Amino acid sequence: FFKLKHDLLSKIIFSRKLMPKYYDTMLAEYIKNPGQRGLGLDALSEKKFNYKMISYSDITEKKKLSFEEVDLQKAAIYSGEDVYMTHKLYAEQMEDEYIKDSISTPEERNKKSSILYDIEIPLMQVLSDMEMTWIKIDRDILKGIWMRLEQAIKELEKEIHDLAGEPFNIKSPKQVGEILFERLWLPSAKKTKTWYSVNSEVLEWLKGQHPIAEKIVTYRHYSKLQSTYIEWLLEVASEHDRIHTSYNQTVTSTGRLSSNNPNLQNIPTWDDIAGEIRTAFIPEDPTDTLVAFDYSQVEVRLLAIMSGDTHLLEAFQQGRDIHQVTWEFIFWSKDISWTQRRFAKAVNFWVIYGISPFGLSKMIDVNQKEAKTYIDAFYENYPKVRDFFDATILNCKRNGYVETLFGRKRYIPSINDQNKMIQKGAEREAINMPIQWSSADIIKIAMIRIAKMLDEGNYESKMLLQVHDELVFNMKANEKQELCIKIPEIMEWILKDSPITLKVDKGEWKNWKQAK
């Protein structure tokens, strides 16, 4: 059965027109406790019912057997146990005040239950279709990047050995420590129980002390690109040069989707050779185009909407670059370089996360006093943001949770902890969660609506990837013009009654990097 071609399987089994109503106990549990680990059936059965289930590892003799090789009676007991415990968990969840309203009609549902039936469960189908579509790669491009990295690594190895005065294993932390701190006598920033620390933080600190440190950082970077990205992608690609990723809805503590086997959300976007990896992701057909739609400054826009701050809203309503606006009121200058814009962007972004002056000083490499003046200037220019954050923290202390625009809740019990450091960390979490999780819900809703539009219109173009605030499509030439109007409209009008609209940037080309 599972050997049917994936396109036929998609049409027959996963057709939205034929899909029966269904429920997912793991998703329901995730909605209730998004920060919790161990949401699998085995873990929940033990936690909720004190019942230890037969594990897959046990039934397959630590995976020595495939499931079809397992004794039929044992396989039947194992499978029946899964069915029984799933139903038992479902019955338990239906008695939960947070879940049970979700079986009512859409008109009767409150906001919290619609998260499950109107977002997470419909999204399962969308992700299933995306996973089965796959994305094409050009193996020759990946192999070419691998060769360039191999040459650069060999050159770096020679330069590092010359600077050290002797050959050594650059991949050995112990030998690197010996060279840096006992032969070259560089100051050691950290020491573990057994030896000198040579982690990335230490090497970054040593960059100004000796050129060998920067070359070791680059050597490690290139080696990681070779093994973690290029070799892995070549290994997991199918014989037809297609990459398949698995999306998970119940892993992150931020409400965002995660990707694994391989993790396509971590493919680098940088301008150096790392960014070249994305050039290997190509359209299905030479006449097709990869088109990427990316939400622009979505979290700052949500901060403006949720806080109601006049200055923030006006900046977006006037179509201004919010990072330049921030730069202008911090430094009283309209002239801004690319580097300075990135600096202002960091201030905007990290204040949303409730960062402290100490934390911001580390992020943008200034002293704490300077960092505090930037944070103070931000709140002075956007006064309602401070009011919004204070009100969010106060409500969380009273209710024990914070909530998104769509009614998704996050319980934060440590908000009233007696330990001030724990309490402050919880307050930063409370500040950020409504914004970050609302952003995550927005792109999920957009994916559901876009998938419905593509399905109902019988389009051949496909949604391939979701990477944070970005959606990537394989567009057919005869559909591209129309869909490049329809898709941004759907994405930008998720929040119909807001004082400002969301903004989507579009890029298109013959590979993923250039489409970005």
Side-chain angles (χ1 to χ4, degrees), residues 8 56 77 94 136 142 170 181 192 212 238 243 249 258 269 306 314 329 346 363:
L8 180 61
Y56 185 79
I77 293 170
M94 287 301 98
K136 190 174 182 180
L142 285 177
I170 305 170
F181 306 121
T192 65
I212 195 172
S238 75
I243 292 287
Q249 295 169 257
S258 68
T269 60
M306 297 170 80
E314 284 180 352
F329 70 70
M363 291 294 174

Side-chain angles (χ1 to χ4, degrees), residues 295-298 300-301 304 311-330 333-349 378 381-382 500 503 505:
Y295 276 115
S296 172
Q297 304 169 348
V298 63
V300 188
R301 287 175 185 271
H311 290 167
L312 262 181
L313 289 171
E314 284 180 352
F316 285 121
Q317 287 164 348
Q318 294 166 7
R320 298 198 62 194
D321 177 356
I322 196 64
H323 303 317
Q324 175 153 354
V325 173
T326 297
W327 176 267
E328 288 176 8
F329 70 70
I330 288 179
S333 170
K334 289 187 178 296
D335 297 325
I336 181 171
S337 66
W338 180 81
T339 303
Q340 291 166 336
R341 186 182 181 278
R342 289 190 68 185
F343 185 101
K345 181 179 180 179
V347 173
N348 282 336
F349 183 78
F378 183 96
N381 200 65
Y382 306 132
I500 57 174
K503 184 176 182 296
D505 294 328

Side-chain angles (χ1 to χ4, degrees), residues 275-293:
E276 293 301 308
I277 295 172
R278 289 193 173 209
T279 64
F281 290 79
I282 59 175
E284 183 66 26
D285 187 90
T287 61
D288 297 346
T289 307
L290 287 187
V291 183
F293 299 94

Side-chain angles (χ1 to χ4, degrees), residues 54 59 67 70-84:
I54 304 167
I59 199 76
F67 193 72
V70 174
D71 176 76
L72 182 59
Q73 186 175 3
K74 290 181 180 179
I77 293 170
Y78 171 83
S79 303
E81 186 184 64
D82 273 5
V83 173
Y84 176 76

Side-chain angles (χ1 to χ4, degrees), residues 61-298:
E61 298 178 12
K62 296 185 177 178
K63 300 183 180 179
K64 291 178 182 176
L65 305 175
S66 66
F67 193 72
E68 64 184 11
E69 295 173 314
V70 174
D71 176 76
L72 182 59
Q73 186 175 3
K74 290 181 180 179
I77 293 170
Y78 171 83
S79 303
E81 186 184 64
D82 273 5
V83 173
Y84 176 76
M85 293 309 297
T86 299
H87 185 270
K88 190 174 178 67
L89 181 59
Y90 169 77
E92 190 265 352
Q93 289 178 348
M94 287 301 98
E95 294 302 313
D96 189 289
E97 290 296 327
Y98 196 81
I99 299 291
K100 65 180 182 181
D101 288 342
S102 63
I103 60 174
S104 60
T105 63
E107 293 75 20
E108 293 170 335
R109 288 185 207 143
N110 55 29
K111 287 195 299 182
K112 64 188 179 187
S113 58
S114 69
I115 294 295
L116 179 62
Y117 267 82
D118 297 336
I119 298 179
E120 296 296 351
I121 285 181
L123 186 66
M124 288 172 61
Q125 178 59 54
V126 178
L127 297 177
S128 171
D129 290 346
M130 289 169 64
E131 288 176 1
M132 295 187 73
T133 300
W134 299 44
I135 185 168
K136 190 174 182 180
I137 62 161
D138 187 321
R139 285 181 181 270
D140 290 338
I141 291 177
L142 285 177
K143 290 175 181 176
I145 297 171
W146 191 95
M147 293 299 295
R148 287 166 56 194
L149 286 168
E150 183 71 5
Q151 181 63 34
I153 287 169
K154 286 179 179 178
E155 291 172 2
L156 281 166
E157 186 176 45
K158 183 179 184 306
E159 292 169 3
I160 291 167
H161 289 165
D162 289 346
L163 288 168
E166 62 180 82
F168 67 99
N169 184 359
I170 305 170
K171 294 180 180 179
S172 165
K174 187 176 186 298
Q175 291 187 37
V176 170
E178 288 174 351
I179 292 294
L180 295 180
F181 306 121
E182 295 190 351
R183 179 174 177 81
L184 298 177
W185 296 103
L186 297 179
S188 58
K190 282 185 179 180
K191 197 169 184 179
T192 65
K193 290 182 180 179
T194 57
W195 196 243
Y196 299 101
S197 172
V198 288
N199 62 21
S200 57
E201 184 181 348
V202 170
L203 290 174
E204 286 293 332
W205 182 75
L206 287 172
K207 274 185 178 181
Q209 308 289 329
H210 197 286
I212 195 172
E214 184 166 3
K215 291 188 180 296
I216 293 174
V217 169
T218 305
Y219 177 94
R220 287 182 175 180
H221 173 53
Y222 285 176
S223 297
K224 183 177 180 180
L225 289 176
Q226 264 195 327
S227 59
T228 305
Y229 294 106
I230 297 175
E231 291 173 6
W232 178 234
L233 288 173
L234 288 170
E235 182 181 335
V236 299
S238 75
E239 60 180 321
H240 302 296
D241 298 336
R242 304 297 190 277
I243 292 287
H244 163 83
T245 188
S246 296
Y247 286 103
N248 197 309
Q249 295 169 257
T250 61
V251 169
T252 71
S253 59
T254 60
R256 292 186 179 275
L257 298 171
S258 68
S259 163
N260 66 296
N261 292 327
N263 183 353
L264 295 184
Q265 295 183 332
N266 274 358
I267 302 297
T269 60
W270 311 317
D271 291 327
D272 63 2
I273 193 170
E276 293 301 308
I277 295 172
R278 289 193 173 209
T279 64
F281 290 79
I282 59 175
E284 183 66 26
D285 187 90
T287 61
D288 297 346
T289 307
L290 287 187
V291 183
F293 299 94
D294 195 356
Y295 276 115
S296 172
Q297 304 169 348
V298 63

Side-chain angles (χ1 to χ4, degrees), residues 25 39 202 219 231 264 390 405 407 484:
T25 53
L39 296 178
V202 170
Y219 177 94
E231 291 173 6
L264 295 184
D390 290 344
L405 285 171
C484 282

